[in-house]
Amino acid sequence: MMMCRQATRLMSLRQDRKLSLGEALSLRMHLAMCGACRQCDRQFTLLHEAGRRRADSLFASRSDRE
Amino acid sequence: MMDDSTQGDDAPTRMERLSAVRPRLLAFARLHLRDAALAEDAVQDALMAAIEKDASFAGRSGYETWVFGILKYKILDSLRAQKRQGKLMPLEDEGDDEAIDRQFQHNGRWQEEARPSSWGEPEAVFESERFWQVFDACLIALPDSAARVFSLRELMGLSTAEICQALEIRENNCWVILHRARLRLRACLEKGWLKEGTT
Ligand SMILES: [Zn+2]
């Protein structure tokens, strides 16, 4: 049975590549039972989006608007 | 060239636009290179390249974005050069597991005090100025290699394949570093933003 620590490895991994079917299934099973990991998964997704937005705010400027 | 003057009186010249964007280029380069002098060099190289390649910039908008695109490659060049000169700390050698170990019990479950809690709706989070302050502070607080790989991945949007090629590390290593970086960041953000934010 996969524990939280290992589940966070898969949550992180799926921000970087597609999980294998086996990986995706075991993560899904863990998330179904574990509220703390569901929050962690949301946080990793939010971090991913935050990075993109932080870069956008550095890159794009007023003079770049269409 | 008449290029700039034909755009009308209020259109800033390319040079003016470059000097206006320079502070942001520097901030971005510093974040990745973590060294003021190297960041300065990378930005200088990028600005020179932007001036030289000016003719190859086709569109009228997106000029700053185009310059940032050039800077990305200069940053990668700089990392590669440091790597060749043996100045980059080997990424594998960072014994920073401790901060992560503290979040989990021996059996692999979350420690009670480290259990992730809800951050609320992402859109509301992103609108909070405080969140971005803590985000930047937490990014800076990461160990060098974690910060570098995380910002190459999440801020520059490079794939882990591209990152490990540039840094000459195995892709597996990249994933391990990113996993640690994300766990550290989430803990740092939760501590610095959620908890302090409510007091
Ligand atoms: Zn769990």
Side-chain angles (χ1 to χ4, degrees):
Chain A
M1 196 64 231
M2 193 171 62
M3 280 296 128
C4 301
R5 186 177 182 134
Q6 221 184 328
T8 64
R9 191 184 68 84
L10 293 179
M11 293 173 212
S12 174
L13 204 52
R14 82 155 159 198
Q15 302 294 335
D16 305 317
R17 71 154 166 84
K18 208 169 149 39
L19 296 183
S20 72
L21 189 59
E23 287 168 337
L25 279 177
S26 51
L27 177 59
R28 219 160 131 178
M29 269 174 54
H30 185 92
L31 290 180
M33 319 179 305
C34 180
C37 281
R38 281 198 296 278
Q39 293 300 343
C40 185
D41 193 44
R42 287 194 196 114
Q43 294 176 1
F44 282 1
T45 303
L46 188 138
L47 284 176
H48 181 73
E49 179 63 19
R52 205 184 59 77
R53 290 189 188 216
R54 193 73 189 83
D56 277 354
S57 74
L58 285 167
F59 287 179
S61 74
R62 261 141 270 127
S63 45
D64 267 2
R65 76 201 184 286
E66 275 303 317
Chain B
M1 293 285 264
M2 300 297 286
D3 195 46
D4 285 314
S5 49
T6 52
Q7 286 179 10
D9 291 350
D10 54 347
T13 65
R14 287 282 163 73
M15 289 312 244
E16 280 165 356
R17 290 176 79 167
L18 282 180
S19 54
V21 78
R22 195 169 181 283
R24 281 182 292 136
L25 294 170
L26 253 183
F28 190 71
R30 276 210 206 99
L31 198 60
H32 288 90
L33 296 169
R34 310 198 128 215
D35 178 296
L38 289 174
E40 194 74 51
D41 288 348
V43 169
Q44 206 57 42
D45 288 352
L47 292 176
M48 290 307 293
I51 293 163
E52 276 165 29
K53 289 196 239 168
D54 192 64
S56 72
F57 174 69
R60 285 187 59 187
S61 67
Y63 183 64
E64 279 79 4
T65 309
W66 178 73
V67 177
F68 262 105
I70 297 174
L71 178 64
K72 281 190 193 182
Y73 289 100
K74 297 300 174 191
I75 289 172
L76 280 180
D77 285 348
S78 174
L79 287 172
R80 260 189 227 110
Q82 288 180 70
K83 177 88 191 176
R84 266 199 306 275
Q85 294 159 22
K87 283 182 194 157
L88 264 194
M89 209 206 304
L91 290 172
E92 295 93 313
D93 284 352
E94 215 167 65
D96 74 58
D97 265 344
E98 202 198 328
I100 284 103
D101 286 341
R102 258 184 272 137
Q103 295 189 44
F104 296 97
Q105 305 172 29
H106 282 299
N107 62 14
R109 289 200 171 92
W110 292 99
Q111 287 284 8
E112 207 44 57
E113 65 274 17
R115 278 173 73 87
S117 44
S118 173
W119 291 0
E121 283 305 307
E123 281 311 317
V125 171
F126 294 140
E127 268 165 34
S128 154
E129 215 165 290
R130 169 96 187 131
F131 170 80
W132 292 110
Q133 287 166 1
V134 180
F135 181 80
D136 285 350
C138 289
L139 206 52
I140 289 165
L142 284 178
D144 276 3
S145 65
R148 186 173 293 126
V149 175
F150 182 85
S151 41
L152 289 171
R153 173 76 191 101
E154 302 288 43
L155 273 81
M156 279 210 205
L158 297 178
S159 70
T160 49
E162 290 171 304
I163 296 168
C164 57
Q165 201 202 3
L167 299 179
E168 293 170 25
I169 55 175
R170 281 172 298 122
E171 198 168 16
N172 201 40
N173 248 314
C174 247
W175 290 325
V176 171
I177 293 166
L178 284 167
H179 178 212
R180 289 182 190 166
R182 290 182 176 117
L183 280 173
R184 272 176 176 269
L185 272 178
R186 68 143 294 273
C188 179
L189 273 160
E190 199 159 305
K191 213 166 133 198
W193 172 58
L194 266 193
K195 293 181 183 145
E196 257 173 48
T198 53
T199 53

